[in-house]
Amino acid sequence: MTLKVEQFLKSKLLDTPFLVVDLDVIAEKYLTLHKLLPKARIYYAVKANPEPEILRLLVKLGANFDAASIGEIEQCLAVSARPEQISYGSTLKKARDIARAYQLGVKLYSFDSWGELEKLSVHAPGSRVCCRLLIETQSAEWTLARKFGCAWDMAFDLLLHSRTLGLEPYGVAFHVGSQQTDPTQWNEPIHQVALLFSKLAAQGIDLQVMNLGGGFPAQYQSPIPSEEVYAEAIQTAISHHFGDNPPQVMLEPGRFLVADAGTIQSEVVSIAKKSYTDDQRWVFLDVGKFNGLMETLDECIKYRIRTPYDGSAVGSVVLAGPTCDSADILYERAGYKLPLSLQIGDRIDILSTGAYTHTYSSVGFNGIPPLKVYCI
Amino acid sequence: MTLKVEQFLKSKLLDTPFLVVDLDVIAEKYLTLHKLLPKARIYYAVKANPEPEILRLLVKLGANFDAASIGEIEQCLAVSARPEQISYGSTLKKARDIARAYQLGVKLYSFDSWGELEKLSVHAPGSRVCCRLLIETQSAEWTLARKFGCAWDMAFDLLLHSRTLGLEPYGVAFHVGSQQTDPTQWNEPIHQVALLFSKLAAQGIDLQVMNLGGGFPAQYQSPIPSEEVYAEAIQTAISHHFGDNPPQVMLEPGRFLVADAGTIQSEVVSIAKKSYTDDQRWVFLDVGKFNGLMETLDECIKYRIRTPYDGSAVGSVVLAGPTCDSADILYERAGYKLPLSLQIGDRIDILSTGAYTHTYSSVGFNGIPPLKVYCI
């Protein structure tokens, strides 16, 4: 947590729960990434946190944008991003959304199937298209495998076919999974991409870009390698597989840029034991799966938590959210311990919650309003 | 699907996805339940679907309301429910929300721990309180065990103590789990409640109500017993355990009243195979976990699906939602099959989706707006 955030939290008692985002941290992360991989074009994954103030900052810094929907494209344009800065990166697009994006000036699209390619040829003629490759990776805390991408030989056929359809075969995309803690996971996919580049070159198709997706991690409970280690691993893999003729690289960081910039402040609603023999306390917060902490699903993302009593004696807890839904349990098996002196009404801080939190908030499940956000 | 809904869907092509709710079905379900268990007081679980038109209808029919939060209490009052009709049924309540509810005239509260009881004694003095019992049940498709309730001996102590704290020990609540497909699951908890009534009577405390919670099912894929079977099983259990002196019964149906009244219409965004050897199609809809179908989590709730080609040859599918999140897969292991002739752009209907759907919608994850609702 930065000093700026600490001062904000001290300055006045705002109604919990809320998310506070330090824009300076986002700028710093962006500039770090830009410095480490200066030739790469950075496309911010808007879905991680689409707050207008964040998008505006990134426009100012010269970022590009990876949009998951026509809604996100409009959000980017609303803060004066130019259409050339936007990639319509979702492989799931309705025909009318493609038509609308094309009309708005977006000319770069991802796809991973015959059906999507046909829609693009009709509604976005002449556009640049990137095929998403289905890859198998490990070590991602929030895996993205299976749902997106297609097999290597199908990707080859699709890219070849795209030219026939009047589109510009532009590149290959993949994603090693979100919160990827192993920097070597980019190596094998880059190898696959290089093979695809070379096989297509033999057919007269010169692909331009390799989209390495997102995956750079945030600082949750477990230690993560530094940005330098990731940049180094990626550079090495590119040199190894592409030699002297590397492609233009696209990056789609989301979590990496915004997660560590955010802190959720929450109030302890209740503390209970279920029986006299229970050795665990249940600690119920006013934030849960359905108003910000969806990524605790299956206890995937393990946030760091600060309390007013850190350093004092702790005991095991089950941490749960405020709704009447039993799915709204945050951590039960992850081994969380909290101070024994924690009391109902205390405030706690949940760190690195700037990404994939408030946008998952339900509109009002259990009559509980969505998580509020303050950008400072 | 009722004729009224079919006509609504035919009358004009509204932008998908949306939920249409037939209010007549809700009225019919309410009257059926009222007829089968005429002495029971029905508290609608507002969280299942808090649309004002639904609440207004239920006020007109004489229902009471089970509110999960101060927000839901305000929603009920906004449609002219009287405070005496409202039970603040969540066992997780902030002190200031209790104070606000009390000020608004709500005098019936649930609790399950010492901490909650103390808050109630301070902020809702003299109110009627029901203790929620932790019970173990089976056969619920959406289990509610573990998170709520306390053990029997603790419930006894808490109810005894509530009188000392100036509250009115009023009753005992339990919940057999949502979408409970086995009507005999109420029997043992009713037995436990009867024992609690009798042990507290020996201490001079005459509890008034037994709150049987919700659990009555909706018509998803698997067959379910009729309402009559549930009513019969419950009546029998009450007679058996309470004899000639049955308590006032409270019911908290949510899903049962509204689920079957709703239909979600969705468009097929994409159909794809991931590789040439794939024997399954992926069918991507414009509705998914984060804009209405959260209860497909772990493939718990299996909705019935209608397509324009029902009756023709089918093939296995993985059904997935529209977001870039791999958690947004609806059914992969549940064995769904859809017509081979299904095409991109087709509309399909997802049945019995009137409960626990649009309120779970995210505010805008992936730039996708929340599910629209039409009550007819």
Side-chain angles (χ1 to χ4, degrees):
Chain A
M1 195 191 303
T2 60
L3 192 62
K4 196 169 149 194
V5 169
E6 285 201 34
Q7 282 170 344
F8 175 83
L9 294 176
K10 271 184 202 155
S11 67
K12 49 183 169 178
L13 279 187
L14 293 161
D15 274 356
T16 59
F18 62 85
L19 166 66
V20 51
V21 177
D22 184 341
L23 294 170
D24 296 345
V25 174
I26 299 175
E28 195 187 306
K29 290 268 183 182
Y30 178 85
L31 296 171
T32 299
L33 191 59
H34 182 61
K35 193 175 160 192
L36 287 170
L37 293 162
K39 289 185 189 162
R41 274 187 276 166
I42 300 175
Y43 286 73
Y44 172 57
V46 176
K47 56 186 168 289
N49 193 328
E51 279 301 291
E53 289 177 72
I54 294 174
L55 299 182
R56 223 172 273 131
L57 168 73
L58 289 166
V59 167
K60 211 173 67 185
L61 292 171
N64 302 287
F65 298 90
D66 163 38
S69 67
I70 189 69
E72 286 192 354
I73 290 171
E74 285 165 349
Q75 286 165 17
C76 292
L77 295 174
V79 295
S80 304
R82 284 168 292 109
E84 311 86 76
Q85 288 173 285
I86 300 171
S87 160
Y88 196 163
S90 169
T91 57
L92 303 170
K93 299 181 282 291
K94 291 183 185 180
R96 66 174 168 282
D97 291 343
I98 296 171
R100 172 85 180 132
Y102 187 72
Q103 186 192 30
L104 290 170
V106 175
K107 297 289 154 57
L108 176 57
Y109 299 84
S110 290
F111 72 97
D112 64 357
S113 69
W114 293 94
E116 290 300 304
L117 197 56
E118 277 165 27
K119 279 187 277 182
L120 287 169
S121 73
V122 175
H123 301 285
S127 291
R128 293 172 160 176
V129 292
C130 288
C131 187
R132 181 151 166 185
L133 209 51
L134 179 65
I135 55 159
E136 284 186 20
T137 54
Q138 281 148 12
S139 312
E141 295 189 0
W142 194 263
T143 171
L144 294 171
R146 300 191 348 272
K147 188 174 174 185
F148 303 105
C150 63
W152 195 93
D153 52 348
M154 192 183 272
F156 172 80
D157 291 345
L158 286 168
L159 283 163
L160 200 61
H161 188 59
S162 70
R163 188 173 53 179
T164 324
L165 288 174
L167 295 161
E168 182 185 342
Y170 190 61
V172 180
F174 65 86
H175 202 296
V176 295
S178 198
Q179 186 68 9
Q180 175 55 260
T181 56
D182 174 8
T184 70
Q185 292 291 318
W186 276 266
N187 181 62
E188 181 51 30
I190 289 174
H191 180 207
Q192 298 297 320
V193 174
L195 293 174
L196 208 44
F197 266 63
S198 116
K199 193 170 171 189
L200 280 159
Q203 301 285 328
I205 291 182
D206 286 312
L207 296 178
Q208 302 296 308
V209 311
M210 170 166 64
N211 179 345
L212 303 180
F216 283 31
Q219 187 54 69
Y220 303 126
Q221 277 208 342
S222 307
I224 47 169
S226 72
E227 295 93 340
E228 287 77 8
V229 176
Y230 283 86
E232 173 78 26
I234 287 171
Q235 295 280 30
T236 304
I238 294 174
S239 302
H240 185 72
H241 299 298
F242 281 93
D244 292 339
N245 194 19
Q248 171 70 53
V249 166
M250 278 174 70
L251 295 174
E252 295 175 338
R255 189 184 303 279
F256 172 77
L257 291 180
V258 295
D260 293 341
T263 301
I264 287 177
Q265 187 159 90
S266 171
E267 184 182 316
V268 175
V269 177
S270 198
I271 300 178
K273 287 201 173 188
K274 297 287 166 188
S275 71
Y276 291 121
T277 55
D278 220 349
D279 55 356
Q280 270 190 324
R281 286 169 300 159
W282 283 70
V283 174
F284 299 94
L285 305 177
D286 61 4
V287 66
K289 273 204 171 62
F290 304 111
N291 61 340
L293 301 180
M294 181 57 76
E295 289 205 321
T296 60
L297 209 59
D298 297 328
E299 311 196 14
C300 280
I301 298 294
K302 296 177 190 68
Y303 298 107
R304 290 171 295 145
I305 294 177
R306 282 204 192 162
T307 76
Y309 315 101
D310 288 352
S312 70
V314 296
S316 290
V317 296
V318 179
L319 257 179
T323 66
C324 294
D325 191 331
S326 63
D328 190 12
I329 293 174
L330 307 175
Y331 301 116
E332 194 170 10
R333 302 177 304 275
Y336 273 78
K337 294 183 177 191
L338 288 177
L340 296 170
S341 41
L342 193 70
Q343 287 177 43
I344 294 175
D346 280 337
R347 289 180 176 223
I348 65 155
D349 299 318
I350 310 174
L351 308 187
S352 294
T353 43
Y356 301 111
T357 49
H358 74 288
T359 53
Y360 272 116
S361 286
S362 79
V363 288
F365 186 54
N366 272 231
I368 295 170
L371 192 66
K372 291 181 293 289
V373 191
Y374 303 95
C375 291
I376 60 172
Chain B
M1 197 192 302
T2 60
L3 191 62
K4 196 170 148 194
V5 169
E6 285 200 32
Q7 282 171 345
F8 175 84
L9 294 177
K10 271 183 201 155
S11 67
K12 48 182 169 179
L13 280 188
L14 294 162
D15 274 355
T16 60
F18 62 85
L19 165 66
V20 50
V21 176
D22 185 342
L23 294 170
D24 296 346
V25 174
I26 298 175
E28 196 187 305
K29 290 268 183 182
Y30 179 84
L31 296 171
T32 299
L33 192 60
H34 183 59
K35 193 174 158 192
L36 288 170
L37 293 162
K39 288 184 190 162
R41 273 188 276 168
I42 301 175
Y43 285 74
Y44 172 58
V46 176
K47 55 187 168 289
N49 193 328
E51 278 301 291
E53 291 177 70
I54 294 174
L55 300 182
R56 224 172 271 130
L57 168 73
L58 289 167
V59 167
K60 210 173 68 185
L61 292 170
N64 302 287
F65 298 90
D66 162 38
S69 67
I70 190 70
E72 287 192 353
I73 289 171
E74 284 167 349
Q75 286 165 17
C76 292
L77 296 174
V79 295
S80 304
R82 286 169 291 110
E84 311 87 74
Q85 288 174 285
I86 301 170
S87 159
Y88 197 163
S90 168
T91 57
L92 303 170
K93 299 183 283 290
K94 291 183 185 179
R96 66 173 168 280
D97 292 343
I98 296 172
R100 171 86 181 131
Y102 187 73
Q103 184 192 32
L104 290 169
V106 175
K107 297 288 155 59
L108 176 57
Y109 299 84
S110 291
F111 72 98
D112 64 356
S113 69
W114 294 95
E116 289 301 303
L117 199 56
E118 275 166 29
K119 278 187 276 182
L120 287 169
S121 73
V122 174
H123 300 285
S127 291
R128 293 172 160 177
V129 292
C130 288
C131 186
R132 180 148 165 188
L133 209 51
L134 179 66
I135 54 161
E136 283 186 20
T137 54
Q138 281 147 11
S139 311
E141 295 189 1
W142 194 265
T143 171
L144 294 172
R146 299 189 350 271
K147 187 174 172 185
F148 303 105
C150 64
W152 195 93
D153 52 347
M154 192 184 271
F156 172 80
D157 290 345
L158 286 169
L159 282 164
L160 200 61
H161 189 59
S162 70
R163 188 172 54 177
T164 324
L165 288 174
L167 294 161
E168 182 184 341
Y170 190 61
V172 181
F174 66 85
H175 202 298
V176 294
S178 198
Q179 186 69 9
Q180 175 54 262
T181 56
D182 175 9
T184 69
Q185 291 291 318
W186 275 265
N187 182 62
E188 181 50 31
I190 289 175
H191 179 207
Q192 298 297 322
V193 174
L195 293 174
L196 208 44
F197 267 64
S198 114
K199 191 169 172 189
L200 280 159
Q203 301 285 328
I205 290 181
D206 286 312
L207 296 178
Q208 302 295 310
V209 310
M210 170 167 63
N211 180 344
L212 303 180
F216 284 31
Q219 187 55 69
Y220 302 125
Q221 277 207 339
S222 308
I224 47 168
S226 71
E227 295 94 339
E228 287 77 8
V229 176
Y230 283 86
E232 172 78 26
I234 287 171
Q235 294 280 30
T236 304
I238 294 174
S239 302
H240 185 71
H241 299 298
F242 281 94
D244 291 340
N245 194 19
Q248 172 70 53
V249 166
M250 278 174 71
L251 295 174
E252 293 176 339
R255 190 186 301 280
F256 172 78
L257 291 180
V258 294
D260 292 342
T263 302
I264 287 177
Q265 188 157 89
S266 170
E267 184 182 314
V268 175
V269 178
S270 197
I271 300 179
K273 287 201 172 186
K274 297 286 163 191
S275 72
Y276 292 122
T277 54
D278 219 350
D279 55 357
Q280 271 189 325
R281 287 169 300 159
W282 283 70
V283 173
F284 298 94
L285 305 177
D286 62 4
V287 66
K289 272 204 171 62
F290 305 110
N291 61 340
L293 302 179
M294 182 57 75
E295 287 205 323
T296 60
L297 209 59
D298 297 328
E299 311 197 14
C300 279
I301 297 295
K302 295 176 189 70
Y303 297 107
R304 291 171 293 145
I305 294 177
R306 283 204 193 162
T307 77
Y309 315 102
D310 289 351
S312 70
V314 295
S316 290
V317 296
V318 178
L319 258 179
T323 65
C324 294
D325 190 332
S326 64
D328 191 12
I329 293 175
L330 308 175
Y331 302 115
E332 193 169 11
R333 302 177 304 274
Y336 273 77
K337 293 182 177 192
L338 288 177
L340 296 170
S341 41
L342 193 70
Q343 287 174 43
I344 293 175
D346 281 337
R347 287 179 178 226
I348 65 156
D349 299 318
I350 309 174
L351 308 188
S352 294
T353 43
Y356 301 110
T357 49
H358 74 288
T359 54
Y360 273 116
S361 286
S362 79
V363 288
F365 185 54
N366 272 231
I368 295 171
L371 191 66
K372 291 182 293 288
V373 191
Y374 302 95
C375 290
I376 61 172

